[in-house]
Amino acid sequence: MCGIWVILGAEYVPTKHQREFLQIVGRGPDLTIISRVSSKVWLGFHRLAIVQPGDSPSEQPICADGLSVVCNGEIYNHRTLKDNSLLDNSSVRNGGSDCAAILHAFRSSGNDLRRCCASLDGVFAFAMADKKFLYLGRDPIGVRPLFYGFAGQALLIGSEVKSIEKLCRRVNFFPPGFCAQIPLGSTFSTDNQQIEFQQFFQIPSIVNYSISAFDAKAIIRKLLVEAVEKRLMGNRQFGFMLSGGLDSSLIAALATRFLHSNDFCASPIAFSVGFEDSPDLVNARKVAEYLGICHRVLVISARKCVEAIPEVVFSLETFDPLVVRCGVAHFLLCKHIAASSEVKVLLSGEGADELFGSYAYMQRAPSAPLLQREIVRRLRLLHQYDVLRCDRCTSCHGLEIRVPFLDKKFVSFVAQLPPSFKLIPGKTEKFLLRNAFQNLLPGEVLWRSKEGFSEALGKVDLGELLGKHAEGLIEEEFWYRMIFEQRFNLRKLNNVIHTKVYRTASWQIGPGSLDSSLSTSDEERTSTEDNGSGDESKENHRPLGEERREREEKQERKEEEKRIRRRSTGSAKLAGVA
C-alpha cells in the first residue's frame, strides 16, 4: 500500500501543497518523495515497504527511457512483462520494483496506454509522464483508489480525497478499468473541462451458458489457488482478516499452505474482531486451530465503537451508514494489528459475496437473470463501498490489504457463470464455491451459512447501538454526515459520495422493502385481504385455529423482515437490501 500525489500544470509550493500531500502519509510511512519529472509535472510518493524494505530498487518514481512513473499497487505478472520487454531493465532506475513493469508494458505495447493497462495483472493506480503526456490508469475493480480535481488551471491527482479536496474546485474518482492520456499543455480553467477516458476492462455481463457446473467448479478452484499464490509476494510477515466464515477461511487455508511450504516466510497470523459473545470469534478460533496458525483476537466494546466514529468517517471519506458501521470494527482491528504486530500485509475474503450473489436479498431475487444484473451492478460499484472500506481502514494504519477474490481472471470467469449456478433453491448460498473446496476446511466451517456482520460481531446490534447514540441529536445517517462535513466540503464531492447502493436492488426494490411480501405492512396486507373477500361475516367468524395460525404467520414475517434487515444493514431498524 502506497500513496501517490501529482500536479500537472502548476509548481509544487511547500507552503501551499505540503500539508495536503502529507494527509496520506499513513499509506506509505517508510519513505516520502516529491520530485519534478518535467517542466509541467510533479510526482509525489509515500512508500510502504513490502518488497525489499530499505532497498533503493523499490523507491519511486521509477524512471527509464524518458518515462517516470509512481504507482500504488502490485503488478503480479511483473517478471513476465520484464522478460518479454523491449526495454532493458538494467537501464531502469529503481527497476527492481514490480511496478517497473508498467514502463516495460508501455514500451512493449508501442506506447499504447490502453494495451499497456490491459496487459497488467494486478491492482494499481498509477501516474506516468514523459515530455508530452501525463498517463493515468486504475485497476479493473478499483482495489487501489485514485481521485482527481482541478485547481486554477492545474490538474491534481491523489490516492485519497483528503489529499486534494482543499485545493480543488471539485473532486472526482478516477473510474476503475479506465486509463487516460493527457497532453502536458492542457489547462483546466473551468469545471466543464473533461478528461478523455479509455476503457481497458469491463465487468462481463454476458453469461456463458455453455459451461457445466462440474467444469466451473474445477476452474474456480484453479483460479482462486492462483489468485492467492500470486498475492503472497513480499518478504514481510503476512496476516489474515479471519471472520471464521467461508470466504476469509478459504483464503487463510490456501495462503497457509503456500506460506508453510516457503522456508523464508514467517508464520502467518490470523486476526479477528468482535464483541464478547461474537460467534465469529468462536468460529475463527476453530479455523486457526485447524490450520495450525497463531490467532489474535480483539474484543471491542460499545464505547470504543462510538468513540471511533469521527476518526472512522474521516478515514473512510464517506458518511454512508452501512459502510461506516462495517468500517468501525475493521478500523479498530487494523489499528490493533499495526500497534501490536509486525504484520504489514493482510489477506481478506472481500468480493466473494458480490461475485456469487450470496447476500440475503440476492438469494431472494425474483429470477436468475435479475440476480445476474445485480451481481454486475454491485461489482461495478465495489470501489465506492466494500473495497473503499478495506483500503482506507488498512492504509491509514500503514497496512496493505490484498483481495484474491477480486483477481481479474477470477472475476472475469465467475461473473460469466450462469446465475442459476448461484441461485439454487434449497441449497446453501455459494454452493458451487463450497463444493470446489471440499476437504480444505472442516465441514462445520465449509457449510456454515453466511451471517450479516452485526450477527457475527455478537448479540449487540451495532447499527442500533450507533443509532441510539445519535438519537439525542439527529438521525444516524445525518450524524455521520455532520461529522463528515466538519472535515470535508460536500459540495465539491457530489460525484464521489454515494449512499444508495445498499438501499435499492436492480429489480427496483424500494427503501424499506425486500420483496413484495415485506414491503406491505401487516395492517395494509390484512386490509387488502379483507376488502378482497367480499364476505365480512365469514371473515369475522373464522375458526380459532385459523386465526392463531395467521397471527403466528404475521409474527414470523415480522421476525423474518427484522432478521434480513439486520443481516443487510447491521440494524433491525434501518431498511436496506445489502
Side-chain angles (χ1 to χ4, degrees):
M1 191 76 70
C2 301
I4 66 172
W5 197 84
V6 182
I7 297 181
L8 167 61
E11 287 294 312
Y12 172 76
V13 181
T15 55
K16 180 180 179 181
H17 298 123
Q18 188 175 48
R19 180 180 177 277
E20 310 312 315
F21 176 44
L22 294 178
Q23 286 285 343
I24 55 172
V25 71
R27 301 186 67 89
D30 297 321
L31 177 71
T32 293
I33 294 175
I34 188 159
S35 57
R36 184 203 296 270
V37 296
S38 81
S39 60
K40 297 281 188 177
V41 180
W42 290 78
L43 298 182
F45 179 67
H46 299 291
R47 181 191 176 210
L48 175 65
I50 300 299
V51 181
Q52 298 175 314
D55 290 349
S56 60
S58 290
E59 293 179 3
Q60 298 188 29
I62 303 165
C63 306
D65 198 23
L67 291 167
S68 300
V69 65
V70 288
C71 177
N72 168 29
E74 303 83 44
I75 309 301
Y76 302 122
N77 62 337
H78 64 100
R79 289 190 177 89
T80 300
L81 292 172
K82 291 177 181 178
D83 290 344
N84 298 329
S85 173
L86 301 175
L87 191 64
D88 182 4
N89 196 59
S90 63
S91 66
V92 180
R93 191 182 79 189
N94 302 330
S97 169
D98 58 283
C99 293
I102 297 170
L103 302 181
H104 291 273
F106 185 68
R107 286 296 189 233
S108 296
S109 66
N111 299 342
D112 185 323
L113 182 62
R114 187 171 176 272
R115 283 178 55 202
C116 165
C117 291
S119 71
L120 302 176
D121 180 11
V123 292
F124 53 85
F126 71 80
M128 180 171 63
D130 58 19
K131 293 181 179 180
K132 294 183 178 180
F133 297 98
L134 174 67
Y135 308 93
L136 305 171
R138 189 178 181 191
D139 67 76
I141 308 298
V143 174
R144 295 293 178 255
L146 194 64
F147 297 89
Y148 70 94
F150 306 120
Q153 295 188 344
L155 172 68
L156 270 66
I157 309 289
S159 290
E160 295 182 16
V161 169
K162 61 178 68 71
S163 68
I164 61 174
E165 180 255 344
K166 294 287 190 296
L167 302 169
C168 296
R169 297 186 297 274
R170 187 177 299 276
V171 176
N172 298 280
F173 64 79
F174 195 95
F178 282 79
C179 56
Q181 181 172 308
I182 305 167
L184 297 193
S186 302
T187 57
F188 303 92
S189 56
T190 69
D191 289 336
N192 294 326
Q193 197 79 32
Q194 296 294 319
I195 293 177
E196 293 185 9
F197 297 103
Q198 302 177 60
Q199 188 169 26
F200 65 87
F201 181 89
Q202 185 173 13
I203 304 293
S205 58
I206 298 176
V207 176
N208 176 15
Y209 286 103
S210 65
I211 192 167
S212 68
F214 180 83
D215 290 339
K217 183 173 67 173
I219 297 173
I220 284 172
R221 184 180 182 94
K222 175 180 179 293
L223 291 178
L224 188 59
V225 169
E226 291 175 353
V228 171
E229 183 179 16
K230 70 177 71 168
R231 282 163 176 77
L232 296 177
M233 68 179 194
N235 53 10
R236 303 290 284 265
Q237 188 174 25
F238 285 86
F240 308 135
M241 304 287 278
L242 184 62
S243 70
L246 174 69
D247 309 332
S248 63
S249 299
L250 278 179
I251 299 303
L254 292 172
T256 298
R257 284 188 173 186
F258 287 116
L259 293 172
H260 280 175
S261 65
N262 187 342
D263 295 334
F264 298 100
C265 291
S267 181
I269 302 175
F271 298 94
S272 304
V273 62
F275 295 114
E276 284 190 9
D277 61 342
S278 168
D280 260 8
L281 300 184
V282 175
N283 287 288
R285 188 176 300 113
K286 291 178 182 177
V287 174
E289 290 175 355
Y290 179 80
L291 298 178
I293 58 177
C294 176
H295 184 220
R296 297 184 185 177
V297 172
L298 175 66
V299 177
I300 55 177
S301 66
R303 180 178 61 82
K304 286 185 177 180
C305 290
V306 171
E307 289 176 349
I309 289 296
E311 198 174 358
V312 170
V313 170
F314 179 66
S315 297
L316 293 177
E317 301 180 331
T318 184
F319 52 85
D320 183 283
L322 306 179
V323 179
V324 172
R325 288 192 203 131
C326 291
V328 172
H330 199 159
F331 178 91
L332 291 173
L333 179 58
C334 290
K335 185 176 183 178
H336 171 73
I337 293 170
S340 63
S341 76
E342 296 299 317
V343 168
K344 291 295 181 183
V345 183
L346 295 163
L347 269 66
S348 167
E350 297 292 338
D353 290 318
E354 286 78 11
L355 275 168
F356 289 93
S358 60
Y359 287 115
Y361 85 98
M362 286 179 157
Q363 289 295 300
R364 299 165 67 87
S367 67
L370 287 175
L371 172 64
Q372 174 67 12
R373 190 169 72 181
E374 180 67 359
I375 287 172
V376 173
R377 184 183 79 98
R378 287 292 295 261
L379 288 171
R380 289 176 179 172
L381 292 171
L382 258 182
H383 70 104
Q384 293 180 283
Y385 299 95
D386 290 3
V387 164
L388 177 152
R389 168 178 50 80
C390 284
D391 176 86
R392 302 302 194 282
C393 287
T394 50
S395 64
C396 68
H397 295 113
L399 304 174
E400 178 176 302
I401 193 78
R402 296 182 183 176
V403 282
F405 280 112
L406 295 180
D407 179 80
K408 181 169 70 171
K409 292 181 181 178
F410 191 79
V411 168
S412 295
F413 177 75
V414 177
Q416 294 183 79
L417 289 177
S420 58
F421 289 3
K422 304 170 185 179
L423 192 64
I424 308 175
K427 298 292 186 181
T428 308
E429 83 285 341
K430 286 185 281 206
F431 182 78
L432 195 63
L433 178 64
R434 298 173 195 271
N435 253 323
F437 289 95
Q438 293 276 14
N439 304 320
L440 183 64
L441 293 167
E444 60 184 311
V445 176
L446 189 67
W447 295 102
R448 176 192 175 198
S449 295
K450 176 178 173 55
E451 290 185 343
F453 80 94
S454 276
E455 290 174 329
L457 284 176
K459 293 179 181 177
V460 177
D461 188 321
L462 183 56
E464 290 187 7
L465 166 71
L466 297 174
K468 286 179 181 178
H469 181 80
E471 275 178 6
L473 302 171
I474 199 167
E475 290 185 13
E476 181 189 358
E477 183 171 351
F478 290 103
W479 177 40
Y480 300 152
R481 178 168 173 168
M482 285 172 59
I483 295 171
F484 181 89
E485 292 197 82
Q486 290 172 3
R487 308 294 294 272
F488 298 98
N489 185 339
L490 186 56
R491 286 178 294 180
K492 295 182 178 182
L493 306 175
N494 287 339
N495 296 328
V496 175
I497 305 299
H498 290 266
T499 61
K500 299 296 183 184
V501 70
Y502 289 126
R503 311 286 182 88
T504 308
S506 57
W507 50 88
Q508 300 301 312
I509 296 178
S513 307
L514 296 172
D515 60 24
S516 58
S517 67
L518 296 179
S519 63
T520 308
S521 68
D522 292 328
E523 291 77 15
E524 290 172 331
R525 196 178 293 113
T526 302
S527 174
T528 302
E529 291 168 355
D530 290 350
N531 292 338
S533 68
D535 188 346
E536 290 187 17
S537 61
K538 183 177 180 180
E539 188 68 27
N540 291 333
H541 295 88
R542 289 174 297 172
L544 291 177
E546 184 177 331
E547 291 182 0
R548 184 168 60 251
R549 282 196 302 274
E550 183 175 294
R551 286 197 301 271
E552 291 173 351
E553 288 173 359
K554 287 181 180 179
Q555 184 61 33
E556 287 177 3
R557 283 196 295 268
K558 286 182 179 179
E559 292 300 319
E560 175 72 359
E561 181 174 5
K562 182 177 179 180
R563 183 183 67 81
I564 293 175
R565 284 182 177 178
R566 192 167 188 262
R567 289 182 63 177
S568 301
T569 68
S571 172
K573 294 182 177 179
L574 184 69
V577 297

